[in-house]
Every structure is written in C-alpha cells, then in structure tokens.
Amino acid sequence: MKAALFSAARYQGPAENVGWPVASTVYSAEAAQRSLQTALDQFRTAIQQKPDNLVALRAAIAILATEPDPTALKEAQTYYARAVAMYPRDKVLANFGDVLGDPADAIVRREGIRKSDPTNLENLRRLAELYLRSGQPEKGVAVLKPALTLAPDDATLAALMAGLYRATGQVGEGVKVLKPFVESTDPKKRFDGLLKPGDLYQKAGQTADAEETFIQAAAAQPAGQDEGQRRLADLYFDEGKMSQAEPVYRAVYTNSKTKDRNVMYRLAETLIREGKYDDAHDLLRKEVLAKSPEEPKALTLEAEASFAQEKYDDALASLAKVLGKNPDDPDALFYQAQCYLAKGTNLDQATNDLLRLSDSTNPAATSDKTKMNTGIALARVYRAAR
C-alpha cells in the first residue's frame, strides 16, 4: 500500500495483514471496490454469527477504515471497540487503535513500548504520527530523531520528519532532512526525493518553490511514470493557473496507457474554468458518455459546463439522469438548485435542495467550501423568492 507522505489521508491499516485487491491495468478500481464490498458483507455476516471472530473483526475494520464515508468510520470504531475489549493484547488491533481509538490512550501505549524497546522503528514512527495528529509536532520531532539516526536512508521516516518540522513552522529544517534524497545519484531515489519537498513547500504555502521542485520532478521522473507531472498540474489547478494546468493534464492523460479517468475529469474541470466549454463537452462525450451515457461524474461536469454557458435546460437534463439514480448526489443537487435560481423557476425545489446540502448530518456536504457556496446560493434563493 502506497504511503501518503504529506497528505491527510487516513491510515488504512496494516497492509501486510490484509491482501485486498488493488487497481491495475487488468483489475479495475470498480472491480476492486465490488470485491471489497462483497468481502465486507461476508465478514459482517461472520461477526453476526460469531461476535468474537477475531479474523472477521480485523478484516471488517481494515476495509471500513479505508472508506471516506463517516458512517463507515463509525462502524469501524464500533467493531474496534468490541474487538479490543475481547483481545486487548492483539498487535493488529493495536495498530488500528492509533486511528480508531482514543489518541491519548494510543500515545500512552506507544510511549510504553518506546520505554521498553527504544529502537523499535515502527513504534517510533507511529508514535510520531500520533503526536503530529494530536497537535504536538515538537514531541514528534523528538521521538523521530533517534529513528532517523538508526535508519538515515528510510524515505518514509524522512518525509514524516519533514512534515513534523513543517507543522512546527520550520520548513527549512524539513527541506534539510530531505536534501540527501534530492541529491541522490539513484534516479528513482532522487525522483521520490523531489516529490517530498515539493509537497512540503506546497503545504507551507511556498508555491513558487513547490512549482520549481515539481518541474524538476517531472523532468526526472522514470519512464512510464507521471507522478511529477500530476503534482505539477494539481499545483497549477489549485493556484487557479488553468492555462498552465491544461497542457500538463492533457499530456498525462494522452500518454497514459490506462487512460486514468480521474485525470480526464480534472482536465474537463480545467477546460470549464478556462471557458472552453465546447472542448469540455467534446472530451466528456468522447471519453466517457459515448460508452457510459449515465456516468454521474461525467454528467455532472457536462451540466456544469452547460450551466456556465447559460444552457440551463441542457444542464437540468443531465442532472436529472444523475439524481434519478442517486437523489442525494451533492454536486447534482447544488447545480440543479443553481439552474432553477438562474431560470427563476422552481424556487421551492431549489431551496429544498440547498437545505439538504446545508444539513450538517449530510456526510457529502461537510467541506467548508461546499457549505459556503450552499449558504450563499441559499440566501440568493430566499431573496429571489420574496
């Protein structure tokens, strides 16, 4: 399982203990997700039949902990609490406890291990991560320094240390930690080393330094890889530099053997933000809708482009297909409400759509940006309806 070096991605459990399928050129992400869901259903049944089934409990927790849905996380926490009460010394459950249990309890437990086994690199790493997540990065730095002395070539430890330094406001110290990797004569090591400080600079808001580093990474990336280009394109997109993001996304998608649909969708979003609406429509129809005419993400982006063109009926037609299959789709609800508002019709429906998005219990509407946009639009609806 690939480590999320400078991201806020949730820890996904001990990969070595659970061999779940992953996406590849012959095993699609959709097939993997279906397989996981089938497995999860089987483990739930096994737990119902035998509540102390440790294997089923571990596996269900591992699957649920990878899901972004808050409901899944809550279920994982329920299974974890049940399992750890029955098997308090289980090492696999202990690893899950770093994320699913009380952080304070996890720190106490990890500190106990550090006292008895001070050279245990895995424990030092996990303890440093706990301090970082609990808002005590300076303690994480102190914990990780001995680990880096023991394993100076460990890129994961170095990346974690750089993140800890960033959290304490010492970005320069973080870059120093990563310098040996950036200057490595090993092409792969150097490439990975360039990505890490690029992430560090971006998180710290030093976008010019991040851009320069990602440009170097893109130039140094091994044949057949595109991570450097992706990071560069994402940086341009986040900075609103769409004219610079477009050719990079296009190059990544065109040269990709697997034709990563997520890259294609980001390219479509970029075209829309550039005002190249017809190009966005053509891309979505050619690459997705011609073969999968009811694909929700493609239809929603098509509706977004139509809305920007003030073709509200076209947008509503696309959104109707999405909401017909998933009445709670947040993006579709938002753009449907915007279309009604722009047309000056169905204002009651628009209000209801936006209120559903504003509901804090809606797991799909938890981001500050979504709530802000929804609140602004909702105020406009009320004003227009008066």
Side-chain angles (χ1 to χ4, degrees), residues 16-142:
E16 65 273 13
N17 292 299
V18 185
W20 304 123
V22 296
S24 70
T25 54
V26 295
Y27 197 90
S28 71
E30 291 83 0
Q33 187 60 42
R34 288 196 300 271
S35 178
L36 284 173
Q37 185 58 52
T38 300
L40 177 59
D41 291 341
Q42 293 174 345
F43 291 131
R44 282 170 171 155
T45 300
I47 293 168
Q48 287 177 349
Q49 295 173 347
K50 192 174 185 293
D52 64 347
N53 187 329
L54 179 59
V55 172
L57 285 165
R58 284 176 176 172
I61 293 168
I63 296 174
L64 290 164
T66 68
E67 295 294 325
D69 183 357
T71 303
L73 178 59
K74 186 175 180 180
E75 185 179 0
Q77 290 170 328
T78 299
Y79 281 142
Y80 168 76
R82 180 188 305 176
V84 80
M86 292 184 286
Y87 304 99
R89 297 182 181 179
D90 185 79
K91 292 183 179 180
V92 176
L93 292 176
N95 290 338
F96 287 126
D98 289 347
V99 171
L100 300 175
D102 186 324
D105 291 343
I107 287 174
V108 170
R109 178 170 50 80
R110 291 285 175 193
E111 283 288 9
I113 297 173
R114 180 165 74 129
K115 186 176 181 180
S116 61
D117 187 5
T119 61
N120 185 325
L121 294 180
E122 179 66 8
N123 182 65
L124 292 173
R125 179 182 68 79
R126 291 180 181 276
L127 179 56
E129 288 176 342
L130 281 166
Y131 277 129
L132 179 61
R133 288 201 298 269
S134 63
Q136 305 175 77
E138 65 288 340
K139 291 186 178 180
V141 169

Side-chain angles (χ1 to χ4, degrees), residues 7 10 75 114 156 331 354:
S7 71
R10 184 184 302 128
E75 185 179 0
R114 180 165 74 129
T156 300
D331 292 324
L354 292 168

Side-chain angles (χ1 to χ4, degrees), residues 168-248:
T168 64
Q170 302 178 78
V171 176
E173 291 299 314
V175 173
K176 286 181 184 178
V177 172
L178 298 171
K179 188 175 180 181
F181 298 91
V182 175
E183 296 178 346
S184 173
T185 56
D186 181 329
K188 185 179 184 306
K189 191 174 180 180
R190 180 172 183 271
F191 171 62
D192 290 339
L194 284 166
L195 291 178
K196 294 178 180 70
D199 289 334
L200 187 65
Y201 284 132
Q202 186 174 6
K203 292 284 186 180
Q206 298 175 217
T207 54
D209 291 327
E211 179 181 356
E212 181 181 349
T213 306
F214 286 143
I215 288 173
Q216 293 180 48
Q221 65 189 12
Q225 293 193 29
D226 55 26
E227 190 62 29
Q229 290 172 289
R230 289 189 189 218
R231 301 284 183 91
L232 179 61
D234 287 344
L235 175 67
Y236 286 144
F237 186 92
D238 292 342
E239 290 297 302
K241 299 177 180 179
M242 301 304 161
S243 62
Q244 291 171 269
E246 181 196 337
V248 185

Side-chain angles (χ1 to χ4, degrees), residues 226-277:
D226 55 26
E227 190 62 29
Q229 290 172 289
R230 289 189 189 218
R231 301 284 183 91
L232 179 61
D234 287 344
L235 175 67
Y236 286 144
F237 186 92
D238 292 342
E239 290 297 302
K241 299 177 180 179
M242 301 304 161
S243 62
Q244 291 171 269
E246 181 196 337
V248 185
Y249 280 132
R250 195 178 292 280
V252 171
Y253 185 68
T254 301
N255 297 328
S256 170
K257 293 181 180 179
T258 58
K259 298 297 181 187
D260 189 327
R261 189 169 286 184
N262 289 326
V263 176
M264 188 278 298
Y265 284 145
R266 183 51 71 92
L267 174 58
E269 290 182 71
T270 302
L271 292 169
I272 292 169
R273 283 158 176 71
E274 285 186 282
K276 297 180 178 180
Y277 308 121

